[in-house]
Amino acid sequence: MGENPAKNHYAQLNQGEENEMEIFGYKTQGCRKALCIAGYILSCGALLLLFYWKPEWDVWANCIRCSLEEADIVLLRTTDEFRIYSRKTVTWISVSALIKSRLDYPGTAEEDSVFSKAIMKPSLQVKSIQVQRIRYVWNIYAKQFQKVGALEDHHTCSAIHAKFGSGLTCNERNVRKVICGPNTIDVPVIPVWKLLIKEVLNPFYVFQLFSVCLWFAEDYMEYATAIIIMSLLSIFLTVYDLRQQSVKLHRLVESHNNITVTVCRNKEGDSCFQELESHHLVPGDMLVLKEGKTLLPCDAILISGQCIVNESMLTGESIPVTKTHLPQADNFKPWRMHCAEDYKKHVLFCGTEVIQTKADDTGVVKAVVLRTGFNTAKGDLVRSILYPKPMNFKLYRDALRFLMCLIAFAAIGMIYTVCVFALNGEEAGEVVKKSLDVITIAVPPALPAALTTGIIYTQRRLKKKGIFCISPQRINMCGQLNLICFDKTGTLTEDGLDLWGLLPCERDCFQDIHSFPADHSLPWGPVFRAMAVCHSLIVWEGKIQGDPLDVKMFEATNWVIDDSSGHKIEGQGSTHATVVRPGPKASSAPVEGVAILHQFPFSSALQRMSVIAQEIGGEQQVFTKGAPEMVAMLCRAETVPLNFESKLLLYTAQGFRVIGLACKSLQAGKQSTDLTREEVESDLTFLGLLIMENRLKRETKPVLEELSAARIRSVMVTGDNIQTAVTVAKNAGMISATNRVILVEANKIPGSFSASITWKPLEENKTEDYRGLAKAMGLEPRSPRVFTSAAPVQDDSPPTTERRIRLALASGQYHFAMSGKSYQIVAQHFRHLLPKLLLNGTVFARMSPGQKSSLVEEFQKLDYFVGMCGDGANDCGALKVAHAGISLSEQEASVASPFTSRTPSIACVPELIREGRAALVTSFCMFKYMALYSTIQYLGVLLLYWQLNAFGNYQFLFQDLAITTVIGVTMSFTGAYPKLVPYRPPSQLISPPLLLSVVLNILFSLSLQVFGFVVVQEQPWYSKTDIYSACLSVNNHMENSSSISSLGLHGMRDGAHGQTDNGYKSYENTTVWLLSTINCLIVALVFSKGRPFRQPIYTNYVFILVLIGQLGICLFLVFADIDDLYSKMDVSIIPSLFAPLPHGGSPW
């Protein structure tokens, strides 16, 4: 086609999404492949193993670059900082058996669908790849790989109703099924042999295998066998753990793969119903939802009727959620854009449970299949478990760098070994073995395992405290947290709200407040009707279920929900309206009951909900409740009291949660289902304010004070009113009494692409204080000062403004508060101000779930380690993107969050930080100890190589198993220190203090061993060739024995020596080995750091007893003089420290 292949060689997959990747096209070349196969054979599989670890090298060696259209192999690379490569083979799907002619694929599946654009002519084949369980097909027109298994985003609301409302034809469904694959979230239980192979091919175990082979070649039988046993035990434990996880995940999803569903089929223009297994579903299929509980096997868009679902699987909250049908809006906007953030109110998600269905006048509840398989919400969650996002933590990066340094260190030792042994005329094979042995000594094979030891013990301690973790690698990150974002309702405050009062409004004037609980019941009227019907409550398992606010409001009326189905309402086609009636304790009402005909559920974006209700035998009315400011905007101006803002401020300033109520009458004869939300929520009559008390949890203030004392910032991120949020922040101690709150308001300028930003004090009586701030920030002369995005703040007086802002913010006397809308506008139009605002921003109110996630990411860009603590409902996104997301869900584990607290209390936050700090310090201690232990052993061996000697098998075995392994296990037992100190542990291994500590210890070890090596040679009883000279010297001095007896003793020793000596025994060997072993104990004690992040070392009784025991064994070996023991341990007999030596010589 004349196109440049290099240009089409590269593209982006999932652009702008979380799992964005770069994709490169390659074509296999025969001669390259043949050369690689030869390389595999000649290298005995080593090259194949290298390609297994480095798939990009495999592709570059076997293939040549080409355009993606010609590619039979694609190379994928993640766009994050890790740049991880993966290799995928292009496969071909044939649809020729289904499409005999063009007539076989007509109609509903329109020309612009990805299915028709993917089929190549005349072969009738589809080119595809599968990445992380998602299938992508090649779009021959757009020249790119596109995701299948989901309905295209470009469909409008009316198009979805028109094109899919009567179902797909059998042929359309068959083609889609072949291209998309089955609708299953299939997580097969991985066979044990596969897990074993994958685990054994880990670089760590390959290095272990190399070490073991080398040790067997050198006759280190016992040690090699011990390592094999330990490695096999480790492998089997890991494989068992992975197998258990695989079984759990399989059980979690298998129930949703085989559900019998009813679908609507389009047969020659007529619709018919058909039952089939859910794995046959395809995007575009028409589902018919029947009465009773149903598990959803796919994501679907509700197009008729209404559903109540339990979404606890997704959110961790078991509050029923109402889903309404997609409106038949006749416009050109894609359906998701038309519905904005409310699109989820029309989507039924896979894995959730439909509790109740309510049909409209069509008589059935229908939904169009939106996504299938791993494209669904549940599939996405399962994929996040199967393919977790790698954690970028300095500790792990530094550990790899340090490992490289040890390898370089080992290379120097290898050169030294080769030189020493070659110059002394050793055999070439012996020289190679000895030099390779240096690598296994200098690079500790147990280093990766040692780093995770502290995490494993911490995870167990957290579990005992009711904190569950599904991402253990994040525990170390908790030790670095310095900013925590808290949701308000249910997190800082009690989950349940108490009804405090009602401020009714009549003829644009507020009336006397009605307090709860009151002696007299609330009189019948529009406000009472609003409280009785404006909710989304249901009766589930005999109890009223729903939002706690709705429950409290409805209970105050003493009415009941009639849960019997089939209420016929005059003038309405629906036979499934919810009816509320006066209860036994209710005051008399002039009606039999009120039917709720239609709901517009609560939306975080719109900050309100509405219902259309009808008194039995009466007229239809609309009732709306929500954020007072929002409700007032929807009301006719003449119905809103003039003192509305002052009254609202009065109650929100006291920390009350205030809800606005409004209503209007509907014209008779209009079907409730035909009305749009915009029509319903307009020209309302303001009814009054519902005032609810949201008390702080008992532990909130002490926890926030503890975090503040530890210099950990606390920020509130809530969907509530800004004034209420600020008051709660003050009561909780986030904002001290002496500090001032500055409200940041940003608004888009109508008819323009620019925006304005306003700064003003939240407290009306603090204008003098505000003027001081305005002056400091260069915002005078008028207050409040408005700036537009065309003339930003910093351009007003460039040299002084930056300095003044910095000074004002550094003083810490002011806190910024802003709404979600203002945050969004600041992020878009005043990007340069956002970091400055976030540095002192404490309250973020009226935040949507998407804005919460964005805020967490912005804090992370400012180098904060961010924790997010929420109740798991609207906080799912923020919980996922934070360094440590803590869900206070009542369920044992929430899939949305790395950490879940069984107790719904923020007391888990400091506990998690304490344990995280302890785990981080333990990882550092273990790393330093393992590095020092290997270096001590390495220096000792190199020193003995000078005399062509080395440590014996049992000497290695004693140091590696009896000393290091036991220390490694017990060092991590030390618990977290109970007090949070106002600084964090270091997060970098390669930092001057830590490196200095390691270097000084290495120098000390070297000095100690060289000193022992030299001093032992200076002793009067020392003999290089006779390892029993010291013993004979003592015997001759102690006893005046005959020469025959001495010779007999000597002969006996020689006999013993001849039988057991393996060439390792020497005075230097014994001295260096004992000194290095005791040095390992000293290093373990020195590096077992206690306060301020861990408890004092003496509290770890097991570790202390282990050290004492090991030191006792070492001293026993010095004084024991047991021939058999010395022979086994390759230890030479040395004079007793208390034995008198000839000529007053020292025993050393």
Side-chain angles (χ1 to χ4, degrees), residues 846-905:
R846 298 293 187 212
M847 297 286 279
S848 69
Q851 287 165 348
K852 287 183 180 182
S853 304
S854 167
L855 180 69
V856 169
E857 287 173 334
E858 289 298 334
F859 274 126
Q860 288 171 335
K861 287 176 189 174
L862 297 176
D863 289 333
Y864 279 108
F865 276 82
V866 185
M868 173 73 200
C869 185
D871 55 9
N874 290 331
D875 310 308
C876 287
L879 288 168
K880 277 186 176 181
V881 299
H883 289 112
I886 309 151
S887 170
L888 301 185
S889 163
E890 287 180 10
Q891 296 191 354
E892 186 173 302
S894 167
V895 285
S897 172
F899 298 96
T900 306
S901 172
R902 181 179 280 172
T903 311
S905 155

Coordinates of all heavy atoms in Angstrom, one line a residue, residues 846-905:
R846 N -18.0 17.5 48.7 CA -18.8 17.3 47.5 C -17.9 16.6 46.4 O -18.0 17.0 45.2 CB -19.4 18.6 47.0 CG -20.4 19.2 47.9 CD -21.6 18.4 48.1 NE -22.7 19.1 48.9 CZ -23.5 18.5 49.7 NH1 -23.5 17.2 49.8 NH2 -24.4 19.2 50.3
M847 N -17.1 15.7 46.8 CA -16.2 15.0 45.9 C -16.8 13.8 45.3 O -17.3 12.9 46.0 CB -14.9 14.6 46.6 CG -14.0 15.8 47.1 SD -13.2 16.7 45.8 CE -11.8 15.7 45.5
S848 N -16.8 13.6 44.0 CA -17.3 12.4 43.3 C -16.2 11.3 43.5 O -15.1 11.6 43.7 CB -17.6 12.7 41.9 OG -16.4 12.9 41.2
P849 N -16.6 10.0 43.3 CA -15.6 9.0 43.3 C -14.4 9.2 42.4 O -13.3 8.9 42.8 CB -16.4 7.7 42.9 CG -17.8 8.0 43.3 CD -18.0 9.5 43.1
G850 N -14.6 9.7 41.2 CA -13.5 9.9 40.3 C -12.6 11.0 40.8 O -11.4 11.0 40.6
Q851 N -13.2 12.1 41.4 CA -12.4 13.2 41.9 C -11.6 12.7 43.1 O -10.4 13.2 43.3 CB -13.3 14.3 42.3 CG -13.9 15.1 41.1 CD -15.0 16.0 41.4 OE1 -15.6 15.9 42.6 NE2 -15.5 16.8 40.5
K852 N -12.1 11.8 43.9 CA -11.3 11.3 45.1 C -10.1 10.6 44.6 O -9.0 10.8 45.1 CB -12.2 10.3 45.9 CG -13.3 11.0 46.7 CD -14.0 9.9 47.5 CE -15.1 10.6 48.4 NZ -15.9 9.7 49.2
S853 N -10.2 9.8 43.5 CA -9.1 9.0 43.0 C -8.0 10.0 42.4 O -6.8 9.9 42.6 CB -9.5 8.1 41.8 OG -10.5 7.2 42.3
S854 N -8.5 11.0 41.7 CA -7.7 12.0 41.1 C -6.9 12.8 42.2 O -5.7 13.1 42.0 CB -8.5 13.0 40.3 OG -7.8 14.2 39.9
L855 N -7.6 13.1 43.3 CA -6.9 13.9 44.4 C -5.8 13.0 45.0 O -4.7 13.6 45.2 CB -8.0 14.2 45.5 CG -7.4 15.0 46.7 CD1 -7.0 16.4 46.3 CD2 -8.5 15.0 47.8
V856 N -6.0 11.7 45.2 CA -5.0 10.9 45.8 C -3.8 10.8 44.8 O -2.6 10.9 45.3 CB -5.5 9.4 46.0 CG1 -4.4 8.4 46.3 CG2 -6.6 9.4 47.1
E857 N -4.0 10.8 43.5 CA -2.9 10.7 42.6 C -2.1 12.1 42.6 O -0.9 12.1 42.4 CB -3.4 10.4 41.2 CG -3.9 9.0 41.0 CD -4.5 8.7 39.7 OE1 -5.1 9.6 39.1 OE2 -4.5 7.5 39.3
E858 N -2.9 13.2 42.7 CA -2.2 14.5 42.8 C -1.3 14.6 44.0 O -0.2 15.2 43.9 CB -3.2 15.6 42.7 CG -3.9 15.8 41.4 CD -3.0 16.2 40.3 OE1 -2.0 16.8 40.5 OE2 -3.4 15.8 39.1
F859 N -1.8 14.1 45.1 CA -0.9 14.1 46.4 C 0.3 13.2 46.1 O 1.4 13.6 46.6 CB -1.8 13.5 47.5 CG -2.6 14.6 48.3 CD1 -3.9 14.4 48.5 CD2 -2.0 15.8 48.7 CE1 -4.7 15.4 49.1 CE2 -2.8 16.7 49.4 CZ -4.1 16.5 49.6
Q860 N 0.1 12.1 45.4 CA 1.3 11.2 45.2 C 2.3 11.9 44.3 O 3.5 11.7 44.5 CB 0.8 9.9 44.5 CG 0.1 9.0 45.5 CD -0.6 7.8 44.8 OE1 -0.9 7.9 43.6 NE2 -0.8 6.8 45.5
K861 N 1.9 12.8 43.4 CA 2.8 13.5 42.5 C 3.6 14.5 43.3 O 4.7 14.9 42.9 CB 2.0 14.3 41.4 CG 1.5 13.4 40.4 CD 0.6 14.2 39.4 CE -0.1 13.3 38.4 NZ -1.0 14.0 37.5
L862 N 3.1 14.9 44.5 CA 3.9 15.8 45.4 C 4.8 15.1 46.4 O 5.2 15.6 47.4 CB 2.9 16.7 46.2 CG 2.0 17.6 45.4 CD1 1.0 18.3 46.3 CD2 2.8 18.7 44.7
D863 N 5.0 13.8 46.0 CA 5.9 12.9 46.8 C 5.4 12.5 48.2 O 6.2 12.3 49.1 CB 7.3 13.5 46.9 CG 8.1 13.5 45.6 OD1 7.8 12.6 44.8 OD2 9.0 14.3 45.4
Y864 N 4.1 12.6 48.3 CA 3.5 12.1 49.5 C 3.3 10.6 49.4 O 3.0 10.1 48.3 CB 2.1 12.7 49.8 CG 2.1 14.1 50.4 CD1 1.8 15.2 49.7 CD2 2.4 14.2 51.8 CE1 1.8 16.5 50.3 CE2 2.5 15.5 52.4 CZ 2.2 16.6 51.6 OH 2.2 17.8 52.2
F865 N 3.4 9.8 50.5 CA 3.0 8.4 50.6 C 1.6 8.5 51.1 O 1.4 8.8 52.3 CB 4.0 7.6 51.4 CG 5.2 7.1 50.7 CD1 6.3 8.0 50.5 CD2 5.2 5.8 50.1 CE1 7.4 7.5 49.8 CE2 6.3 5.4 49.4 CZ 7.4 6.2 49.3
V866 N 0.6 8.2 50.3 CA -0.8 8.4 50.6 C -1.5 7.2 51.1 O -1.5 6.2 50.4 CB -1.5 9.1 49.4 CG1 -3.0 9.5 49.8 CG2 -0.8 10.3 48.9
G867 N -2.2 7.3 52.2 CA -3.1 6.2 52.7 C -4.5 6.7 52.5 O -4.8 7.9 52.6
M868 N -5.4 5.9 52.1 CA -6.8 6.2 52.0 C -7.7 5.3 52.9 O -7.6 4.1 52.8 CB -7.3 6.1 50.5 CG -8.8 6.3 50.3 SD -9.2 8.1 50.4 CE -11.0 7.9 50.7
C869 N -8.5 5.9 53.7 CA -9.3 5.1 54.6 C -10.8 5.5 54.4 O -11.2 6.7 54.5 CB -9.0 5.5 56.1 SG -9.8 4.4 57.3
G870 N -11.5 4.5 53.9 CA -12.9 4.8 53.6 C -13.8 3.6 53.9 O -13.3 2.5 54.3
D871 N -15.1 3.7 53.7 CA -16.0 2.6 54.0 C -16.3 1.7 52.8 O -17.1 0.8 52.9 CB -17.4 3.2 54.5 CG -18.0 4.2 53.5 OD1 -17.5 4.2 52.4 OD2 -19.0 4.8 53.9
G872 N -15.5 1.9 51.8 CA -15.6 0.9 50.7 C -16.7 1.1 49.7 O -16.8 0.4 48.7
A873 N -17.5 2.2 49.8 CA -18.6 2.4 48.9 C -18.2 3.3 47.7 O -17.8 2.8 46.6 CB -19.8 2.9 49.6
N874 N -18.2 4.6 48.0 CA -17.8 5.5 46.9 C -16.2 5.7 46.9 O -15.7 6.5 46.1 CB -18.4 6.9 47.1 CG -19.9 6.9 46.9 OD1 -20.4 6.1 46.1 ND2 -20.6 7.7 47.6
D875 N -15.5 4.9 47.7 CA -14.1 5.2 47.8 C -13.3 4.1 47.1 O -12.0 4.1 47.2 CB -13.7 5.2 49.3 CG -14.6 6.1 50.1 OD1 -14.7 7.3 49.7 OD2 -15.1 5.7 51.1
C876 N -13.9 3.2 46.3 CA -13.2 2.1 45.7 C -12.0 2.5 44.9 O -10.9 2.0 45.0 CB -14.1 1.2 44.9 SG -15.3 0.3 45.8
G877 N -12.2 3.5 44.0 CA -11.1 4.0 43.1 C -10.0 4.5 43.9 O -8.8 4.2 43.6
A878 N -10.3 5.4 44.9 CA -9.2 6.0 45.7 C -8.5 4.9 46.5 O -7.3 5.0 46.7 CB -9.8 7.1 46.6
L879 N -9.2 3.9 47.0 CA -8.6 2.9 47.8 C -7.6 2.1 47.0 O -6.6 1.6 47.5 CB -9.7 1.9 48.4 CG -10.6 2.4 49.5 CD1 -11.8 1.5 49.7 CD2 -9.8 2.6 50.8
K880 N -7.9 1.9 45.7 CA -7.0 1.2 44.8 C -5.8 2.0 44.4 O -4.7 1.4 44.4 CB -7.8 0.8 43.5 CG -8.6 -0.4 43.6 CD -9.2 -0.8 42.3 CE -10.0 -2.1 42.4 NZ -10.5 -2.5 41.1
V881 N -5.9 3.3 44.2 CA -4.7 4.0 43.7 C -3.8 4.5 44.8 O -2.7 4.8 44.6 CB -5.2 5.3 42.8 CG1 -5.9 4.8 41.6 CG2 -6.0 6.3 43.6
A882 N -4.3 4.5 46.0 CA -3.5 5.0 47.2 C -2.4 4.0 47.4 O -2.5 2.8 47.0 CB -4.3 5.1 48.4
H883 N -1.3 4.4 48.1 CA -0.2 3.5 48.4 C -0.7 2.4 49.4 O -0.3 1.3 49.3 CB 1.0 4.3 49.1 CG 1.7 5.1 48.1 ND1 1.7 6.5 48.2 CD2 2.5 4.8 47.1 CE1 2.4 7.0 47.2 NE2 2.9 6.0 46.5
A884 N -1.6 2.8 50.3 CA -2.3 1.9 51.2 C -3.7 2.2 51.3 O -4.1 3.2 51.9 CB -1.6 1.9 52.6
G885 N -4.6 1.4 50.7 CA -6.0 1.6 50.8 C -6.6 0.8 52.0 O -6.3 -0.4 52.0
I886 N -7.3 1.4 52.9 CA -7.8 0.7 54.1 C -9.4 0.8 54.0 O -9.9 1.9 54.2 CB -7.3 1.3 55.4 CG1 -5.8 1.4 55.3 CG2 -7.7 0.4 56.6 CD1 -5.2 2.5 56.2
S887 N -10.0 -0.3 53.8 CA -11.5 -0.4 53.8 C -12.0 -0.7 55.2 O -11.5 -1.7 55.8 CB -11.9 -1.4 52.7 OG -13.3 -1.6 52.9
L888 N -13.0 0.0 55.6 CA -13.7 -0.3 56.9 C -14.9 -1.1 56.7 O -15.9 -1.0 57.4 CB -14.0 1.0 57.7 CG -12.8 1.9 58.0 CD1 -13.2 3.1 58.8 CD2 -11.7 1.2 58.7
S889 N -15.0 -1.9 55.6 CA -16.1 -2.7 55.3 C -16.3 -3.7 56.4 O -15.4 -4.2 57.0 CB -16.0 -3.4 54.0 OG -16.8 -4.4 53.8
E890 N -17.6 -4.1 56.7 CA -17.9 -5.1 57.7 C -17.5 -6.5 57.2 O -17.3 -7.4 58.0 CB -19.3 -5.1 58.0 CG -19.7 -3.9 58.9 CD -21.2 -3.9 59.2 OE1 -21.9 -4.9 59.0 OE2 -21.6 -2.9 59.8
Q891 N -17.4 -6.6 55.9 CA -17.0 -8.0 55.3 C -15.5 -8.3 55.6 O -14.7 -7.4 55.8 CB -17.2 -8.0 53.8 CG -18.7 -7.8 53.4 CD -18.9 -8.1 52.0 OE1 -18.0 -8.3 51.2 NE2 -20.2 -8.1 51.6
E892 N -15.2 -9.5 55.6 CA -13.8 -9.9 56.1 C -12.8 -9.4 55.1 O -11.7 -9.0 55.5 CB -13.8 -11.5 56.1 CG -12.4 -11.9 56.7 CD -12.4 -13.4 56.9 OE1 -13.2 -13.9 57.6 OE2 -11.5 -14.0 56.3
A893 N -13.1 -9.4 53.9 CA -12.1 -8.8 52.9 C -12.8 -8.1 51.8 O -13.9 -8.6 51.3 CB -11.3 -9.9 52.3
S894 N -12.3 -7.0 51.4 CA -12.9 -6.2 50.3 C -12.0 -6.3 49.1 O -10.8 -6.0 49.2 CB -13.1 -4.8 50.7 OG -13.4 -4.0 49.6
V895 N -12.5 -6.7 48.0 CA -11.6 -6.8 46.8 C -11.1 -5.5 46.3 O -10.2 -5.4 45.5 CB -12.4 -7.6 45.6 CG1 -12.5 -9.1 45.9 CG2 -13.7 -7.0 45.4
A896 N -11.8 -4.4 46.7 CA -11.4 -3.1 46.2 C -10.1 -2.6 46.9 O -9.5 -1.6 46.4 CB -12.5 -2.1 46.4
S897 N -9.8 -3.1 48.1 CA -8.8 -2.5 48.9 C -7.7 -3.5 49.3 O -8.0 -4.6 49.7 CB -9.5 -1.9 50.2 OG -8.6 -1.5 51.1
P898 N -6.4 -3.0 49.4 CA -5.3 -3.9 49.8 C -5.5 -4.3 51.3 O -5.1 -5.4 51.7 CB -4.1 -3.1 49.6 CG -4.4 -2.0 48.7 CD -5.9 -1.7 48.9
F899 N -6.0 -3.4 52.1 CA -6.2 -3.7 53.5 C -7.7 -3.5 53.9 O -8.4 -2.6 53.4 CB -5.4 -2.7 54.4 CG -3.9 -2.9 54.2 CD1 -3.3 -2.0 53.3 CD2 -3.2 -3.8 54.8 CE1 -1.9 -2.1 53.0 CE2 -1.8 -3.9 54.5 CZ -1.2 -3.1 53.7
T900 N -8.2 -4.4 54.8 CA -9.5 -4.4 55.2 C -9.6 -4.6 56.7 O -9.0 -5.5 57.2 CB -10.4 -5.5 54.6 OG1 -10.3 -5.3 53.2 CG2 -11.9 -5.3 54.9
S901 N -10.2 -3.7 57.4 CA -10.3 -3.8 58.9 C -11.7 -4.4 59.2 O -12.7 -3.9 58.8 CB -10.2 -2.4 59.6 OG -10.5 -2.5 60.9
R902 N -11.6 -5.4 60.1 CA -12.9 -6.1 60.5 C -13.7 -5.1 61.4 O -14.9 -5.1 61.4 CB -12.6 -7.4 61.2 CG -13.8 -8.1 61.7 CD -13.5 -9.4 62.4 NE -13.2 -10.4 61.4 CZ -12.6 -11.6 61.8 NH1 -12.4 -11.9 63.0 NH2 -12.4 -12.6 60.9
T903 N -13.0 -4.3 62.2 CA -13.6 -3.3 63.0 C -13.8 -2.0 62.3 O -12.8 -1.5 61.8 CB -12.8 -3.1 64.3 OG1 -12.4 -4.3 64.9 CG2 -13.5 -2.2 65.3
P904 N -15.0 -1.5 62.1 CA -15.1 -0.3 61.3 C -14.7 1.0 62.1 O -15.5 1.8 62.5 CB -16.6 -0.2 61.1 CG -17.2 -1.0 62.2 CD -16.3 -2.0 62.6
S905 N -13.4 1.1 62.4 CA -12.8 2.1 63.2 C -11.5 2.6 62.6 O -10.7 1.7 62.1 CB -12.6 1.7 64.6 OG -11.6 2.4 65.3

